[in-house]
Amino acid sequence: MRSVGDEVGTGMSSSAADLAKAGSPARMAYRDAVREAIRDAMKADPRVFLMGEDVGRYGGSYAVSKGLLEEFGPERIRDAPLSESAFVGAGIGAAIGGSRPIVEIMTVNFSLLALDQIMNNAATLSHMSGGQINVPIVIRLATGAGRQLAAQHSHSLEGWYAHIPGLRILAPSTIDDARFTLAAALACPDPVLLFEHLYLYNMEGELTAGLERVDLDHAAIRRRGRDVTLITYGWSLHKCLAAAEELAKEGIEAEVLDLRTLRPLDDAAIMMSVRRTRRVVIVDEGWRSGSLSAEIATRIVEQAFYDLDAPVARVCTAEAPVPYAKHLEDAALPSPARIISVVRGVVSGNGAH
Amino acid sequence: MRSVGDEVGTGMSSSAADLAKAGSPARMAYRDAVREAIRDAMKADPRVFLMGEDVGRYGGSYAVSKGLLEEFGPERIRDAPLSESAFVGAGIGAAIGGSRPIVEIMTVNFSLLALDQIMNNAATLSHMSGGQINVPIVIRLATGAGRQLAAQHSHSLEGWYAHIPGLRILAPSTIDDARFTLAAALACPDPVLLFEHLYLYNMEGELTAGLERVDLDHAAIRRRGRDVTLITYGWSLHKCLAAAEELAKEGIEAEVLDLRTLRPLDDAAIMMSVRRTRRVVIVDEGWRSGSLSAEIATRIVEQAFYDLDAPVARVCTAEAPVPYAKHLEDAALPSPARIISVVRGVVSGNGAH
Amino acid sequence: MKAPMNPPIAREHGLDLLREMLRIRSFEDRCYQLYGQMKIRGFLHLYNGEEAVAVGTMGGLRPSDAVVSTYREHGHAITRGIPMSAVMAELYGKQTGCSRGRGGSMHIFDVSRRFYGGNAIVAGGLPIAVGLALAQKLQRQSDITACFFGDGAVAEGEFHESLNLASLWKLPVLFICENNLYAMGTALERAQVETDITTKARAYRIDAAAVDGMDVLAVEEAVRDAVEKIRRGAGPALLEMRTYRFRAHSMFDPQLYRDKAEIEAWQKKGPLITLTTRLKALGLITEDDYQRLEREAANEVDSAVAFAESSPWEPVADLERFVYAERRG
Amino acid sequence: MKAPMNPPIAREHGLDLLREMLRIRSFEDRCYQLYGQMKIRGFLHLYNGEEAVAVGTMGGLRPSDAVVSTYREHGHAITRGIPMSAVMAELYGKQTGCSRGRGGSMHIFDVSRRFYGGNAIVAGGLPIAVGLALAQKLQRQSDITACFFGDGAVAEGEFHESLNLASLWKLPVLFICENNLYAMGTALERAQVETDITTKARAYRIDAAAVDGMDVLAVEEAVRDAVEKIRRGAGPALLEMRTYRFRAHSMFDPQLYRDKAEIEAWQKKGPLITLTTRLKALGLITEDDYQRLEREAANEVDSAVAFAESSPWEPVADLERFVYAERRG
Ligand SMILES: Cc1ncc(C[n+]2csc(CCOP(=O)(O)OP(=O)(O)O)c2C)c(N)n1
Ligand SMILES: Cc1ncc(C[n+]2csc(CCOP(=O)(O)OP(=O)(O)O)c2C)c(N)n1
Ligand SMILES: [Mg+2]
Ligand SMILES: [Mg+2]
């Protein structure tokens, strides 16, 4: 795979300049990390362009692309009309035509309007053409609930998209991943969807010193533990880490596995952790039935059934359109409190068969 | 729930007349059973109408609605333009407005273009409005692969749709269900999606004498067995029944459970059978990762883990866009042969933990 | 653009129009404050500047007509007759809200008033409106469906499909495009090559007219004509209301895409100023009348806020209630 | 509708046009037989009657231009230069098929000839074509993208969104609407209220002309003019090719929706008859020429069938090959 580091020397230094504003060079918000990743990519490869609703003049609905129009101009930072199917399809066509589009669908909620293009074209063209065509498009989507945006603006469909062969589904959930996943995605000849949970944009953190690239293929253990494995991704990762801290006070050491890639899944990493802890809780923000957690649970049963000391448990979103009212929305979504109580049950549960 | 029988007296007799052509009054093809169900509904309730592409002049792309235009006229048998999002949304609006639309989406493959209307309106309006609105729409979709229609025309997305709260997902797989599910669906105030596998249309069978209605809520055991439970639905049901016959010759008695309803799932029926046979193979035509089989397997682990003598196994479609060539397509889809070999493995596997 | 005929107008009617616009204006201004106080959360899209469109349109509809709106619908809802208290309680997320707190600002519903929401998907309401009109036609009703949407929605495929369907089947739909020149930060001319929306409507053989959306009398007149034709069975009509949004798109919008001068120029021809000036010039109202209506509106908003504040929360146990209908069949 | 200028035509050129149309016709007729013999399965949509559109259009394109087609694309593929043998092998589902047997009739691809498929979703190819043209423009190429679609596709939202985008960004797209009056069994006038597709195109400020799609010379001329403007950077153009499908929509279509008389009337002005009559009248070709070209075409189809028959199957082990690219990065 193309090495990011090789290309971003200038990107890094100029980004450093920018970031000086935000404090120490190595500390930045997720939003800025994504922006820096886009800037690097634009500088490294003239074929790269960003296209989506309000990515230009407006500065991006989550301010991710703020300043990029001024830096790269309207041809490469393209404001698109409200035409999700057409501009996503146009991204697919442009990728086939030799460009390297980064298409921003403002939120996953609107991607339903482009789903035909994503499933029937982006995901199928390579196979259906006998390998003649690659579709190196990167689609970025804000995802998730928690901001009281109500039913139509609170979907978490990344696990649902992970059902589709031909797509790669990534969920960058740390500053490092926000900073470097895009380059790896652009270097990949397959269509890649990057899901950015809207709660992550304001998250600040340290960039790992010296890190210059990440891969698209592996899950990462974000916390070591021996008693139970929390399998998760996205914003739920941070809920799990918070829960793990609490549990540690009770002497329960939870391992936290950040999937990073939702399709393909890193089975090896999942099973390795499960075999060690023998207990699993899967946390994801999708509606429970048919969520990604179901696929993960099933793979564990298929591949590590006899290593389990307790049934796999999951913490997901309630089976309802996400409501507006804060107290109802909070009750609908996974929370550290719910994670903690489910973990307690799994750990205390008698594992003898 | 409204009783079908109460209303279809005339429907039944006139249908009988029709069916005389097709042989004995009680014997009919699935296609004719669906048509009779539509005719009954049209006669029983003036609010009912059928809308979709080529349902009228053309007679339905699978000849389901053949003759209905002549019988009911163009106002109630409505040919729609190629505008899936608009006519599905119009069906939703008409349902809200007091009509009882049966919307035919020619195949599930084209439903992607209407998915925003289905997920963001049909599925959410009741909850989002605090219960003020019901959306009593029935959407019929042909689904499935096996006819060498290639990647864009061979989707099996019913399990994927079953992820969406607010929808009811049904898969009528027998002549009885084809004949009577529609009436129950129209009587239900919730949006109901009926998935008709394209292989079923030509299937002939006997209508159960005296049967006048079916419900939307329960799975049905189609074959009794003690050694293993095959959980399935749709066209796969018939593959499972064929496999079960073969297995019986080897002394393996498979129970075959037809889910009938994919959302909500009939957990009680699933667990009851699993507790009896202690071994499970789930067969569905969706792509393996994230298919309905994953949700079912996970629920079994959550609710009947300690009753299992072997890991849950599944037979699904290969993780690839469905190819055109017969030999490749056959290899991609579940087959009695694959079901048989997986069952053998599950039954012979040593269940001791 | 159709020039208003300046028809003779009665004092009472003038006061009614002014009252409705002031009710909306003061409701929206209060929402702005309440958002700052974190009483209202989520997305909040205010209607300031566009009041004449809602008020001039609703006046031309019957209670039995259906209305489909967008996420910028407070004005439509209030002037449709939904009590401010129920709307405000919804913005608070309270059980007494018109959607029991599940919908919030973008999902105001009141079926008793045939107000079919608040839709947060741009252009998502158009097919629903077509369907409501189809039901009206199939049921031989003389009612019509009014469908509000923005200039940005015109670029969506659903606009194209819905206008064709409504025209093909001669359905009683009044399409009301609130052209405020921007879709979030994207100016109409940078999103659509044909910026005259009436031209687009005619490509579906739909009767269309552009209207000064800052002049409530012009809106009233255009709506009256269109509705009369639609009720006669002439099929759908589209009115392009030329208007402007005085506030940011939502509460998260830094407004980098337009300059103060443009905003100020539009504010000078705002709907309240336009009507008040005319009524005063005609000697139909005095400054006192204006002050009184403004006070009344403020009082109504006060009690709506008090109602919302004192209302109970929906019990958490009811989270999954209404996902499916409670009665079957 | 633009009348052809009947420009002076050279014998060789006339023969080339006739040859191409005959190649398509005899390929399609053979496909029809082979379907009956179950050598070809799945959906099969034949192009009989529409040959002039493919032939007249492809002649106006460069090898470096891109082409996006539909599920009724055999004619486009063959006259684009994809060997009949590779197309026929694809219909057989063989490894030597241009899509290695994975695509079948609806998914003919040949990237070496910039033929980007065969798309089985009505209107699904339009956004792809817009994107290919966007890449051409961003890369400062002088190439253009030709996009074929039917009259039915015009009702889809993607038509609306794609035409606006192409026109807004002045992209080099030639939209070719093959208006054969029916979308499956639905006549254009029962699906769309505005049946003049050029009128719709103009609502996006796109240059549009209607062309006699049964007259290959008229098609050639219209395409030449349009392509020349597009290459000059004038933005997209749309040509409405008025044509007719002689055979059923697919092999499952009982054709209840149109009567024999209509079909026969159109057959009388079929593209082969029209061109042959003109060339003979001008004394440019003889019946012998016609017979010879017909024989040559038949022979070419024979060897394509022989090739397909004798070709190997893709190994089942390779079922999941190409789902993801084999080289990464
Ligand atoms: C399908 C879809 N795409 C994007 C958005 C995000 N969004 C919300 S409002 C808006 C602008 C809509 O502009 P317009 O239709 O003119 O209405 P206005 O806000 O000006 O009243 C956008 C892009 C959305 N809600 N739905
Ligand atoms: C989105 C979508 N809806 C429905 C279909 C089923 N279908 C296949 S071809 C066709 C008719 C298309 O007509 P037209 O665009 O005029 O092309 P033609 O077949 O006449 O060449 C339909 C409805 C489809 N393939 N895609
Ligand atoms: Mg606007
Ligand atoms: Mg056609």
Side-chain angles (χ1 to χ4, degrees):
Chain A
M1 194 178 320
R2 197 181 76 197
S3 145
V4 180
D6 304 341
E7 295 168 346
V8 295
T10 58
M12 297 290 272
S13 50
S14 74
S15 78
D18 274 42
L19 294 167
K21 305 185 203 113
S24 93
R27 184 166 187 79
M28 65 177 86
Y30 184 99
R31 165 184 293 109
D32 304 314
V34 176
R35 183 185 309 114
E36 286 313 302
I38 297 171
R39 295 181 75 237
D40 289 347
M42 299 282 291
K43 289 179 170 175
D45 186 344
R47 300 172 306 168
V48 173
F49 67 97
L50 175 69
M51 168 166 63
E53 289 159 12
D54 291 304
V55 295
R57 297 281 182 96
Y58 191 92
S61 57
Y62 294 98
V64 166
S65 48
K66 197 165 171 190
L68 296 181
L69 174 66
E70 294 67 20
E71 184 171 0
F72 297 102
E75 187 165 77
R76 293 183 70 196
I77 303 294
R78 254 176 205 274
D79 279 321
L82 276 145
S83 302
E84 286 76 7
S85 194
F87 74 73
V88 170
I92 295 165
I96 294 169
S99 293
R100 286 289 178 276
I102 302 169
V103 175
E104 175 177 310
I105 301 179
M106 195 180 282
T107 77
V108 66
N109 310 288
F110 318 138
S111 72
L112 298 177
L113 292 161
L115 195 48
D116 171 67
Q117 287 297 323
I118 295 170
M119 190 186 294
N120 281 323
N121 287 329
T124 63
L125 282 167
S126 172
H127 190 260
M128 197 164 66
S129 68
Q132 290 182 74
I133 292 180
N134 291 140
V135 185
I137 186 177
V138 175
I139 301 177
R140 294 178 42 244
L141 315 88
T143 187
R147 289 243 181 269
Q148 291 190 251
L149 303 184
Q152 295 178 335
H153 273 53
S154 301
H155 295 306
S156 294
L157 299 177
E158 51 282 352
W160 208 52
Y161 273 99
H163 179 53
I164 306 171
L167 301 181
R168 292 183 180 277
I169 310 296
L170 279 291
S173 312
T174 65
I175 301 299
D176 287 344
D177 280 349
R179 182 71 181 80
F180 296 115
T181 302
L182 180 66
L186 283 165
C188 174
D190 304 316
V192 178
L193 274 61
L194 300 182
F195 285 88
E196 302 165 359
H197 194 290
L198 44 79
Y199 253 86
L200 289 168
Y201 289 121
N202 292 331
M203 182 182 75
E204 293 204 354
E206 296 286 323
L207 198 62
T208 301
L211 186 72
E212 287 187 333
R213 78 204 60 176
V214 299
D215 71 28
L216 300 178
D217 309 300
H218 296 96
I221 293 175
R222 303 296 187 192
R223 186 186 195 282
R224 290 257 165 217
R226 60 171 191 281
D227 302 323
V228 60
T229 298
L230 298 180
I231 300 175
T232 188
Y233 67 90
W235 179 240
S236 299
L237 166 64
H238 303 280
K239 293 177 179 177
C240 287
L241 289 169
E245 288 311 310
E246 284 308 304
L247 289 162
K249 296 176 188 160
E250 309 173 10
I252 298 173
E253 287 302 333
E255 181 147 298
V256 179
L257 186 72
D258 174 6
L259 290 168
R260 297 186 65 250
T261 168
L262 311 188
R263 184 178 187 100
L265 283 165
D266 183 355
D267 286 7
I270 293 170
M271 302 313 154
M272 200 183 307
S273 178
V274 169
R275 293 209 168 84
R276 209 166 44 240
T277 63
R278 308 180 66 85
R279 289 179 161 81
V280 188
V281 175
I282 305 164
V283 181
D284 104 50
E285 208 179 286
W287 291 304
R288 184 183 185 93
S289 293
S291 63
L292 184 70
S293 63
E295 178 59 27
I296 294 166
T298 303
R299 290 190 185 199
I300 291 169
V301 168
E302 288 170 330
Q303 300 174 43
F305 184 72
Y306 299 108
D307 298 307
L308 290 173
D309 285 346
V312 176
R314 46 184 179 161
V315 178
C316 304
T317 290
E319 309 252 19
V322 178
Y324 163 73
K326 181 97 179 67
H327 67 298
L328 296 178
E329 184 180 41
D330 287 344
L333 304 177
S335 63
R338 258 173 70 206
I339 295 166
I340 288 167
S341 71
V342 170
V343 168
R344 284 196 191 117
V346 167
V347 172
S348 65
N350 165 8
H353 292 197
Chain B
M1 197 181 316
R2 196 181 78 196
S3 143
V4 181
D6 306 339
E7 295 168 344
V8 297
T10 58
M12 297 289 273
S13 50
S14 73
S15 77
D18 273 41
L19 293 167
K21 307 184 204 112
S24 93
R27 185 165 186 80
M28 65 177 87
Y30 183 100
R31 165 183 294 108
D32 304 314
V34 176
R35 184 186 308 114
E36 286 314 301
I38 297 171
R39 296 181 73 235
D40 289 348
M42 299 281 291
K43 288 179 170 176
D45 185 345
R47 300 172 306 169
V48 173
F49 67 98
L50 176 69
M51 168 165 64
E53 290 159 12
D54 290 305
V55 295
R57 296 279 182 99
Y58 190 92
S61 56
Y62 294 97
V64 166
S65 49
K66 198 167 171 189
L68 296 181
L69 174 66
E70 295 67 19
E71 184 171 1
F72 297 101
E75 186 163 80
R76 293 183 70 196
I77 303 294
R78 257 179 202 272
D79 279 320
L82 275 145
S83 303
E84 286 78 7
S85 194
F87 74 73
V88 170
I92 294 166
I96 294 168
S99 292
R100 285 290 178 277
I102 302 169
V103 175
E104 176 177 309
I105 301 179
M106 194 180 282
T107 77
V108 67
N109 310 289
F110 318 138
S111 72
L112 298 177
L113 291 161
L115 195 48
D116 172 67
Q117 287 297 324
I118 295 170
M119 188 184 293
N120 281 323
N121 288 328
T124 62
L125 282 167
S126 171
H127 190 259
M128 198 165 64
S129 68
Q132 290 182 74
I133 292 180
N134 293 139
V135 185
I137 186 177
V138 175
I139 301 177
R140 294 179 41 247
L141 313 89
T143 187
R147 289 243 181 269
Q148 291 189 252
L149 304 184
Q152 296 178 334
H153 274 52
S154 300
H155 295 306
S156 293
L157 300 177
E158 52 281 353
W160 208 53
Y161 272 98
H163 178 54
I164 306 171
L167 301 181
R168 291 181 180 277
I169 310 295
L170 281 289
S173 312
T174 64
I175 301 299
D176 287 345
D177 280 349
R179 183 70 181 78
F180 296 116
T181 302
L182 179 66
L186 282 165
C188 174
D190 304 316
V192 179
L193 274 61
L194 301 182
F195 286 88
E196 302 165 359
H197 194 290
L198 43 78
Y199 253 85
L200 289 167
Y201 290 121
N202 292 332
M203 180 181 77
E204 293 205 355
E206 296 284 323
L207 198 63
T208 300
L211 186 71
E212 287 186 332
R213 79 205 59 176
V214 298
D215 71 29
L216 299 178
D217 308 302
H218 296 95
I221 293 175
R222 302 298 187 191
R223 186 186 195 283
R224 291 253 165 219
R226 61 171 189 281
D227 301 321
V228 60
T229 299
L230 298 180
I231 300 175
T232 187
Y233 68 90
W235 180 240
S236 298
L237 166 64
H238 303 280
K239 293 177 179 176
C240 287
L241 289 169
E245 288 311 308
E246 284 309 305
L247 288 162
K249 296 177 187 159
E250 310 173 8
I252 299 173
E253 288 301 334
E255 181 147 296
V256 179
L257 186 71
D258 174 6
L259 290 168
R260 297 186 65 249
T261 168
L262 311 188
R263 184 181 185 99
L265 283 165
D266 183 356
D267 285 6
I270 293 170
M271 303 311 154
M272 200 183 306
S273 179
V274 168
R275 294 208 168 87
R276 207 167 44 240
T277 64
R278 309 182 64 86
R279 289 179 162 80
V280 188
V281 175
I282 306 164
V283 181
D284 103 51
E285 208 179 285
W287 291 303
R288 184 183 184 92
S289 292
S291 63
L292 185 69
S293 64
E295 178 59 26
I296 294 166
T298 303
R299 289 190 187 199
I300 291 170
V301 168
E302 289 171 330
Q303 299 173 44
F305 184 72
Y306 299 108
D307 298 306
L308 290 173
D309 285 345
V312 176
R314 44 184 181 163
V315 177
C316 304
T317 291
E319 309 252 21
V322 178
Y324 162 72
K326 181 100 178 66
H327 66 299
L328 296 177
E329 183 179 41
D330 287 346
L333 304 177
S335 64
R338 259 172 70 206
I339 296 166
I340 288 167
S341 71
V342 170
V343 167
R344 284 196 191 117
V346 167
V347 172
S348 64
N350 164 8
H353 292 199
Chain C
M1 187 153 85
K2 245 166 111 195
M5 277 169 46
N6 298 345
I9 160 169
R11 166 179 160 82
E12 269 325 308
H13 185 55
L15 288 173
D16 289 342
L17 295 173
L18 191 56
R19 179 181 300 107
E20 283 305 306
M21 293 201 290
L22 282 166
R23 289 178 70 231
I24 296 171
R25 178 66 58 94
S26 73
F27 186 89
E28 295 296 66
D29 286 341
R30 188 69 60 92
C31 287
Y32 182 86
Q33 292 169 19
L34 291 167
Y35 200 90
Q37 297 161 31
M38 301 180 65
K39 297 287 190 177
I40 300 174
R41 309 303 299 149
F43 281 151
L44 178 66
H45 307 87
L46 300 175
Y47 198 61
N48 299 52
E50 310 188 30
E51 295 89 348
V53 179
V55 172
T57 302
M58 287 306 170
L61 301 179
R62 291 182 190 158
S64 55
D65 292 329
V67 178
V68 173
S69 184
T70 70
Y71 47 84
R72 196 181 298 285
E73 86 278 38
H74 301 174
H76 308 137
I78 290 168
T79 191
R80 177 63 176 182
I82 306 178
M84 267 191 200
S85 52
V87 178
M88 187 60 80
E90 186 59 33
L91 304 192
Y92 268 67
K94 294 297 183 82
Q95 183 176 46
T96 53
C98 50
S99 305
R100 297 182 70 118
R102 286 170 176 73
S105 169
M106 303 196 290
H107 303 295
I108 304 294
F109 287 87
D110 184 345
V111 170
S112 70
R113 294 180 174 82
R114 302 266 201 287
F115 193 83
Y116 294 102
N119 198 306
I121 302 298
V122 170
L126 277 80
I128 303 293
V130 169
L132 284 161
L134 175 58
Q136 288 164 329
K137 182 166 185 173
L138 287 171
Q139 294 164 33
R140 307 280 181 271
Q141 300 169 6
S142 63
D143 300 322
I144 74 161
T145 299
C147 179
F148 293 90
F149 56 95
D151 49 288
V154 173
E156 292 280 5
E158 287 185 321
F159 170 86
H160 175 71
E161 296 184 0
S162 299
L163 265 70
N164 178 56
L165 210 54
S167 182
L168 182 70
W169 292 346
K170 285 204 168 316
L171 302 179
V173 189
L174 175 59
F175 292 103
I176 298 155
C177 179
E178 297 180 315
N179 179 2
N180 58 13
L181 300 176
Y182 291 90
M184 265 178 82
T186 303
L188 177 56
E189 72 272 12
R190 289 189 302 109
Q192 296 175 54
V193 67
E194 174 56 75
T195 55
D196 181 339
I197 288 151
T198 64
T199 302
K200 297 198 184 201
R202 291 191 198 98
Y204 308 95
R205 306 216 173 170
I206 289 179
D207 246 348
V211 183
D212 177 356
M214 301 313 243
D215 177 351
V216 66
L217 297 170
V219 172
E220 255 200 325
E221 186 188 333
V223 168
R224 195 184 309 111
D225 297 353
V227 167
E228 188 269 327
K229 283 196 199 113
I230 296 169
R231 282 201 211 282
R232 273 210 332 264
L238 180 142
L239 294 175
E240 177 189 344
M241 304 293 186
R242 306 246 165 112
T243 182
Y244 197 80
R245 128 171 94 66
F246 288 173
R247 289 193 182 275
H249 167 72
S250 73
M251 307 306 283
F252 301 105
D253 170 11
Q255 300 195 67
L256 307 168
Y257 50 84
R258 61 181 191 179
D259 55 23
K260 283 220 155 18
E262 178 182 296
I263 301 174
E264 281 157 12
W266 277 93
Q267 279 168 332
K268 289 203 181 62
K269 39 183 174 167
L272 286 166
I273 296 170
T274 304
L275 180 65
T276 311
T277 314
R278 169 135 4 117
L279 294 178
K280 285 182 177 172
L282 294 167
L284 292 173
I285 68 162
T286 65
E287 181 58 22
D288 288 356
D289 293 318
Y290 186 92
Q291 301 286 342
R292 177 172 46 79
L293 292 180
E294 209 173 26
R295 255 194 328 278
E296 287 171 8
N299 296 339
E300 190 183 0
V301 175
D302 287 336
S303 36
V305 171
F307 174 82
E309 286 282 352
S310 63
S311 289
W313 300 105
E314 181 88 335
V316 167
D318 287 354
L319 168 61
E320 293 187 17
R321 199 173 159 204
F322 306 126
V323 176
Y324 294 96
E326 306 205 316
R327 329 152 277 83
R328 287 275 296 278
Chain D
M1 188 153 83
K2 243 165 113 196
M5 277 170 42
N6 297 344
I9 160 169
R11 166 178 160 83
E12 270 323 309
H13 185 57
L15 287 173
D16 289 343
L17 295 172
L18 190 55
R19 179 181 301 105
E20 284 306 305
M21 294 201 290
L22 281 167
R23 289 178 69 232
I24 296 171
R25 178 66 58 95
S26 74
F27 185 89
E28 296 294 68
D29 286 341
R30 187 69 60 90
C31 287
Y32 183 86
Q33 292 170 19
L34 291 165
Y35 201 90
Q37 297 161 32
M38 300 180 65
K39 298 288 190 175
I40 301 174
R41 308 305 299 149
F43 282 150
L44 177 67
H45 307 87
L46 300 175
Y47 199 61
N48 300 53
E50 311 188 29
E51 294 88 348
V53 178
V55 172
T57 302
M58 287 307 169
L61 302 179
R62 292 182 190 156
S64 54
D65 292 329
V67 179
V68 172
S69 184
T70 70
Y71 47 84
R72 195 182 299 285
E73 87 277 38
H74 302 176
H76 307 138
I78 289 169
T79 192
R80 177 63 176 181
I82 306 178
M84 269 191 198
S85 52
V87 178
M88 187 58 81
E90 187 58 34
L91 304 192
Y92 268 67
K94 295 295 184 83
Q95 184 175 46
T96 53
C98 51
S99 305
R100 298 182 71 117
R102 285 169 175 74
S105 168
M106 303 196 289
H107 303 295
I108 304 294
F109 288 87
D110 184 344
V111 170
S112 70
R113 292 179 177 82
R114 303 267 201 287
F115 193 83
Y116 293 102
N119 197 307
I121 302 299
V122 170
L126 277 79
I128 303 293
V130 170
L132 285 161
L134 176 57
Q136 287 163 330
K137 183 167 184 171
L138 287 171
Q139 295 164 33
R140 307 281 181 270
Q141 299 171 7
S142 64
D143 300 323
I144 74 162
T145 298
C147 179
F148 293 89
F149 55 95
D151 49 286
V154 173
E156 292 281 5
E158 287 185 322
F159 170 86
H160 174 71
E161 296 184 2
S162 299
L163 266 70
N164 179 56
L165 210 55
S167 183
L168 182 70
W169 292 345
K170 287 206 169 313
L171 302 179
V173 188
L174 174 59
F175 292 103
I176 298 154
C177 180
E178 297 180 314
N179 179 2
N180 59 13
L181 301 177
Y182 292 90
M184 265 179 84
T186 304
L188 178 56
E189 72 272 12
R190 288 189 302 108
Q192 295 175 56
V193 67
E194 174 55 77
T195 55
D196 182 337
I197 288 151
T198 64
T199 303
K200 297 196 184 202
R202 291 193 197 94
Y204 308 95
R205 306 220 172 165
I206 289 180
D207 245 347
V211 182
D212 178 357
M214 301 312 241
D215 178 350
V216 67
L217 297 170
V219 172
E220 256 200 324
E221 187 188 331
V223 169
R224 195 183 309 112
D225 298 353
V227 167
E228 188 268 330
K229 284 193 199 116
I230 296 169
R231 283 202 210 283
R232 272 212 329 266
L238 180 142
L239 294 175
E240 176 189 346
M241 305 292 187
R242 306 245 166 113
T243 181
Y244 197 80
R245 127 172 93 66
F246 289 172
R247 289 196 182 273
H249 166 73
S250 73
M251 307 305 283
F252 301 105
D253 170 11
Q255 300 195 68
L256 309 166
Y257 50 85
R258 60 181 192 178
D259 56 20
K260 283 221 154 24
E262 178 181 295
I263 301 174
E264 282 157 10
W266 277 93
Q267 278 167 333
K268 289 202 182 63
K269 39 182 173 167
L272 287 166
I273 296 171
T274 304
L275 179 64
T276 311
T277 313
R278 167 128 11 109
L279 294 177
K280 284 182 178 172
L282 294 167
L284 291 174
I285 70 163
T286 66
E287 180 59 21
D288 287 356
D289 292 318
Y290 186 92
Q291 302 285 342
R292 177 172 47 79
L293 292 179
E294 208 173 27
R295 256 196 326 280
E296 287 170 10
N299 296 338
E300 190 184 359
V301 174
D302 287 337
S303 35
V305 171
F307 174 82
E309 286 282 352
S310 63
S311 290
W313 300 105
E314 182 88 336
V316 167
D318 287 355
L319 168 62
E320 295 186 14
R321 200 174 158 202
F322 307 126
V323 176
Y324 294 96
E326 305 204 317
R327 328 151 279 86
R328 286 274 294 277

